[in-house]
Amino acid sequence: MASLDRVKVLVLGDSGVGKSSLVHLLCQNQVLGNPSWTVGCSVDVRIHDYKEGTPEEKTFYIELWDVGGSVGSASSLKSTRAVFYNSVNGIILVHDLTNKKSSQNLYRWSLEALNRDSSPTGVIVSNGDYDREQFAENPVPLLLIGTKFDQIPESKRSEVLTRTAFLSEDFLAEEINLVIEKRYFTRDPSPVRLSFYLLF
Amino acid sequence: MFTSQVLFFGFGWLFFMRQLFKDYEVRQYVVQVVFSVTFAFSCTMFELIIFEILGALSSSSRYFHWKLNLYVILLVLIFVVPFYIGYFVVSNIRLLQRQRLLFACMVWFTFMYFFWKLGDPFPILSPKHGILSIEQLISRVGVIGVTLMALLSGFGAVNCPYTYMSYFLRNVTDGDILALERRLLQTMDMIVSKKKRIAMTRRQMYQRGEDQNKQTGFWGMIKSVTSTQSGSENLSLIQQEVDALEELSRQLFLETVDLQSTKERIEYSKTFQGKYFNFLGYFFSIYCVWKIFMVKFWSQHISFILVGIIIVTSIRGLLITLTKFFYAISSSKSSNVIVLVLAQIMGMYFVSSVLLMRMSMPLEYRSIVTEVLGELQFNFYHRWFDVIFLVSALSSILFLYLAHKQAPEKHMAL
């Protein structure tokens, strides 16, 4: 087990956007039946075969660290959360497509996670305003995921997609729209549809 | 007069936007309007009390404004807000979506029934008043609001000195926090390694399962049964360990948050603002202790100043408490309902503050309040307030004592 390299990925986003359900779906291939509020941080692991089928195939454990809370939390909560942000290999930012504020808060989430990482260089943005320069030198890849697409009425879907296009542009990323629709039926047949917007 | 109402309305609107609904999208503007209206009329009542004492505006216009304000507030608190609460709760439940209005009306009628029944066990009315008079409604609103106020003041009276006075603050060093954080990270690492084992075992079982499917015959079947048995037993054992570790990590997280906030409070107490509040804390704790022992003698003018201070601090305290509650329990589905419930509580709280403030006001100003609110048994309210206040204060003392005792022991065990 120890011979496999460690890959740590943070899953960040506002309360109630669906981070715990997402992590559960990715790691257990099942829909989370009874989502409850995440206290602290919950971790799950997914085994991934990098470059499967080629001679350079390597198996990795991807650890998904699902950190709970909101950007407006008390500073004691924020400073405690910061212990989880060490040596991160990637960040997944989750936002709720039915709630605009959760997309706006993603800037603050990414700043919170990245500031912690870049503290040795001493560059801290004090007023929390969004600054594109921050992302230009960012070595950590970001993945942006919008949830609850199926809860948006048909008429508003194109508007939502344009908005997310602007969002991924702001993070200085290429946008590839991948709409994956799969239905997993467990006890309650509520489908979870995810739209993946890949950013590098 | 009306300009100040508009001002209060604007302030309530802003508060809603900036503080409460910071993280949510406002889709139903009705909620925001109702909240701001409740806030505006509640603040106007306080303003009228101040005007009463200062003698601003003519007596008849004051009387008119009082009556108007009272009617509107009662209308909002008893008809509008409960109806909307019922409506939004019903809309959240998917089954009843079709006939929302019908079910909302049903909920409202149930609310009215219980509201009416509330009046029976209390000796609040003299029989000469009719069924739908103002006195009936106010008396019931008053009972609910007074109970709420007494509970909150009792807790606040005990909690305020506990929070602000540095005597009670435990000594927290950076080393303590670092040690706890290290423990937390170690626990997370243990959880991760166990989950890796589970994932790898599951994968191997799956792969072996595929191989087994190719083996046929008697021996193949027996082999597959035994290997999967031991595999799944192993798995459930590790899963139990993981569950226990996750619970531990949650507790460690909460303890770390607690220590961090204590450390911040200590730092805050060293600043000038902190020292000022510390002094206020001592002052208010003496005042609260005095209240607990129910000293009857009051100098009238000191009581007037205290009335002003009480108004301002209770509004501020209430808004802060409401905001904290809102953050703690709301989600994007229930945010509308919770805001309306908060508006209801806020309205009832303010109405009953007016009732109770009569006790602290100098004699000559009590007349208009008595006149406007009709012949309620004010003494009952005062006694009821004192009883609930006492009960609440004593139980919070007990609760805080237990919490305070437990914390240093947990600390020592590290």
Side-chain angles (χ1 to χ4, degrees):
Chain A
M1 303 299 154
S3 57
L4 297 183
D5 285 341
R6 190 174 180 171
V7 176
K8 179 172 164 183
V9 175
L10 283 181
V11 180
L12 299 177
D14 277 351
S15 260
V17 294
K19 301 184 294 291
S20 307
S21 310
L22 175 71
V23 167
H24 199 257
L25 186 65
L26 286 177
C27 300
Q28 314 282 347
N29 287 319
Q30 271 182 344
V31 174
L32 186 60
N34 51 336
S36 62
W37 197 48
T38 319
V39 175
C41 170
S42 93
V43 194
D44 216 339
V45 168
R46 182 184 165 91
I47 299 185
H48 178 67
D49 295 311
Y50 182 60
K51 291 191 178 168
E52 190 172 1
T54 66
E56 299 134 12
E57 176 178 342
K58 208 172 174 193
T59 314
F60 283 101
Y61 286 117
I62 303 184
E63 303 164 24
L64 292 165
W65 290 56
D66 160 25
V67 178
S70 66
V71 260
S73 310
S75 55
S76 54
L77 249 178
K78 280 194 188 171
S79 25
T80 318
R81 274 207 298 252
V83 303
F84 299 126
Y85 299 157
N86 283 320
S87 60
V88 160
N89 299 109
I91 304 181
I92 298 183
L93 295 170
V94 187
H95 67 112
D96 184 351
L97 289 168
T98 60
N99 183 359
K100 272 188 222 165
K101 288 264 173 72
S102 63
S103 331
Q104 289 164 4
N105 283 338
L106 284 182
Y107 300 134
R108 294 163 68 188
W109 273 114
S110 49
L111 281 178
E112 189 181 322
L114 292 175
N115 274 339
R116 172 68 189 199
D117 263 61
S118 65
S119 45
T121 66
V123 176
I124 308 276
V125 175
S126 57
N127 56 1
D129 267 338
Y130 173 63
D131 183 7
R132 278 198 189 189
E133 302 302 308
Q134 292 252 325
F135 292 100
E137 333 163 324
N138 177 28
V140 178
L142 295 171
L143 179 66
L144 199 66
I145 296 185
T147 56
K148 307 190 191 171
F149 189 63
D150 54 320
Q151 290 182 17
I152 299 183
E154 291 283 345
S155 49
K156 298 205 175 163
R157 285 189 181 178
S158 54
E159 175 195 325
V160 167
L161 287 175
T162 8
R163 179 162 53 91
T164 43
F166 281 120
L167 195 66
S168 47
E169 209 180 280
D170 276 340
F171 280 98
L172 289 179
E174 304 254 343
E175 189 197 3
I176 304 175
N177 281 355
L178 251 182
V179 178
I180 301 177
E181 289 187 17
K182 276 190 187 168
R183 284 177 186 253
Y184 295 91
F185 284 102
T186 52
R187 284 159 300 171
D188 54 314
S190 55
V192 173
R193 288 186 224 174
L194 306 172
S195 306
F196 280 91
Y197 298 87
L198 288 173
L199 315 158
F200 287 99
Chain B
M1 193 67 225
F2 289 113
T3 47
S4 62
Q5 282 189 332
V6 171
L7 259 171
F8 285 132
F9 182 83
F11 184 75
W13 187 274
L14 270 176
F15 173 74
F16 185 89
M17 285 257 71
R18 290 289 168 80
Q19 288 274 71
L20 281 184
F21 254 47
K22 237 187 343 178
D23 295 329
Y24 298 108
E25 229 182 291
V26 182
R27 255 169 290 162
Q28 310 266 21
Y29 279 102
V30 171
V31 174
Q32 198 169 0
V33 167
V34 166
F35 182 83
S36 309
V37 163
T38 317
F39 186 77
F41 281 100
S42 314
C43 287
T44 320
M45 278 202 302
F46 284 129
E47 196 190 7
L48 282 172
I49 292 189
I50 307 254
F51 279 175
E52 188 61 42
I53 298 181
L54 291 179
L57 300 184
S58 65
S59 166
S60 54
S61 81
R62 278 200 306 254
Y63 186 71
F64 163 71
H65 279 291
W66 264 114
K67 278 282 182 191
L68 174 71
N69 221 13
L70 213 58
Y71 280 128
V72 173
I73 265 241
L74 281 177
L75 190 76
V76 168
L77 278 183
I78 298 178
F79 294 105
V80 176
V81 177
F83 176 74
Y84 273 115
I85 290 180
Y87 180 75
F88 281 114
V89 165
V90 166
S91 344
N92 270 343
I93 306 175
R94 278 202 190 158
L95 291 173
L96 308 171
Q97 274 247 336
R98 298 274 172 78
Q99 284 146 332
R100 274 185 283 201
L101 272 176
L102 182 67
F103 281 107
C105 289
M106 274 170 52
V107 170
W108 186 76
F109 278 118
T110 331
F111 167 76
M112 282 309 287
Y113 176 73
F114 281 112
F115 188 70
W116 214 255
K117 278 288 172 196
L118 197 63
D120 292 346
F122 295 107
I124 37 182
L125 287 179
S126 38
K128 27 183 188 154
H129 293 111
I131 290 276
L132 266 185
S133 61
I134 287 269
E135 285 79 16
Q136 295 261 3
L137 299 175
I138 295 191
S139 56
R140 285 174 172 79
V141 171
V143 168
I144 302 177
V146 164
T147 317
L148 209 67
M149 264 197 85
L151 284 174
L152 286 178
S153 331
F155 181 70
V158 174
N159 197 32
C160 169
Y162 181 74
T163 316
Y164 283 116
M165 281 165 59
S166 39
Y167 177 73
F168 289 110
L169 285 177
R170 302 188 302 268
N171 212 11
V172 173
T173 64
D174 277 340
D176 297 333
I177 298 184
L178 278 178
L180 250 188
E181 284 179 356
R182 220 181 310 134
R183 255 189 89 185
L184 177 61
L185 282 179
Q186 277 174 1
T187 318
M188 299 302 298
D189 284 337
M190 280 165 66
I191 295 178
V192 166
S193 60
K194 289 207 193 287
K195 287 211 166 171
K196 286 179 184 173
R197 271 181 67 189
I198 293 180
M200 190 49 96
T201 319
R202 261 213 218 119
R203 189 190 215 205
Q204 285 168 353
M205 273 171 55
Y206 181 68
Q207 285 173 344
R208 218 179 299 141
E210 280 188 338
D211 291 339
Q212 295 299 348
N213 284 336
K214 297 177 190 157
Q215 281 188 18
T216 51
F218 190 56
W219 284 121
M221 273 172 31
I222 296 207
K223 255 206 228 163
S224 67
V225 162
T226 49
S227 59
T228 46
Q229 275 277 356
S230 65
S232 56
E233 261 175 32
N234 219 10
L235 267 190
S236 62
L237 210 67
I238 308 183
Q239 186 62 46
Q240 280 178 20
E241 290 173 15
V242 164
D243 290 337
L245 280 176
E246 283 184 334
E247 185 58 44
L248 176 66
S249 77
R250 280 190 280 267
Q251 280 184 25
L252 285 175
F253 181 79
L254 289 176
E255 268 183 53
T256 317
V257 171
D258 194 36
L259 282 191
Q260 284 273 9
S261 65
T262 313
K263 176 176 157 216
E264 279 166 18
R265 254 192 277 143
I266 293 179
E267 281 174 13
Y268 180 72
S269 74
K270 294 190 182 134
T271 67
F272 183 67
Q273 226 186 2
K275 291 207 170 99
Y276 168 71
F277 275 115
N278 193 24
F279 170 71
L280 271 190
Y282 279 111
F283 179 69
F284 269 115
S285 53
I286 298 177
Y287 169 68
C288 296
V289 166
W290 202 345
K291 273 222 91 178
I292 291 180
F293 292 108
M294 285 187 284
V295 173
K296 285 297 173 186
F297 175 72
W298 271 116
S299 164
Q300 298 289 17
H301 290 288
I302 294 184
S303 70
F304 162 63
I305 296 178
L306 277 171
V307 161
I309 296 181
I310 290 173
I311 291 179
V312 171
T313 48
S314 70
I315 293 184
R316 182 178 169 275
L318 182 75
L319 288 181
I320 290 180
T321 319
L322 292 184
T323 318
K324 276 194 208 158
F325 264 144
F326 185 73
Y327 283 152
I329 56 180
S330 82
S331 68
S332 39
K333 266 184 117 182
S334 57
S335 52
N336 286 329
V337 174
I338 295 186
V339 167
L340 287 174
V341 168
L342 292 184
Q344 176 89 351
I345 294 179
M346 177 175 69
M348 290 190 167
Y349 185 87
F350 286 161
V351 166
S352 31
S353 318
V354 170
L355 275 183
L356 290 175
M357 217 170 295
R358 191 182 150 276
M359 177 173 70
S360 311
M361 289 202 305
L363 264 174
E364 53 265 33
Y365 307 120
R366 288 191 199 173
S367 54
I368 189 160
V369 180
T370 327
E371 205 181 308
V372 167
L373 294 180
E375 263 182 51
L376 297 176
Q377 303 275 36
F378 286 106
N379 290 329
F380 161 73
Y381 287 112
H382 298 150
R383 267 181 290 127
W384 180 249
F385 178 86
D386 289 334
V387 165
I388 301 279
F389 180 85
L390 210 64
V391 168
S392 163
L394 289 177
S395 44
S396 3
I397 287 180
L398 188 68
F399 173 72
L400 282 176
Y401 175 74
L402 287 174
H404 187 68
K405 273 294 168 189
Q406 247 203 0
E409 278 162 8
K410 267 201 293 193
H411 210 42
M412 307 264 223
L414 291 180

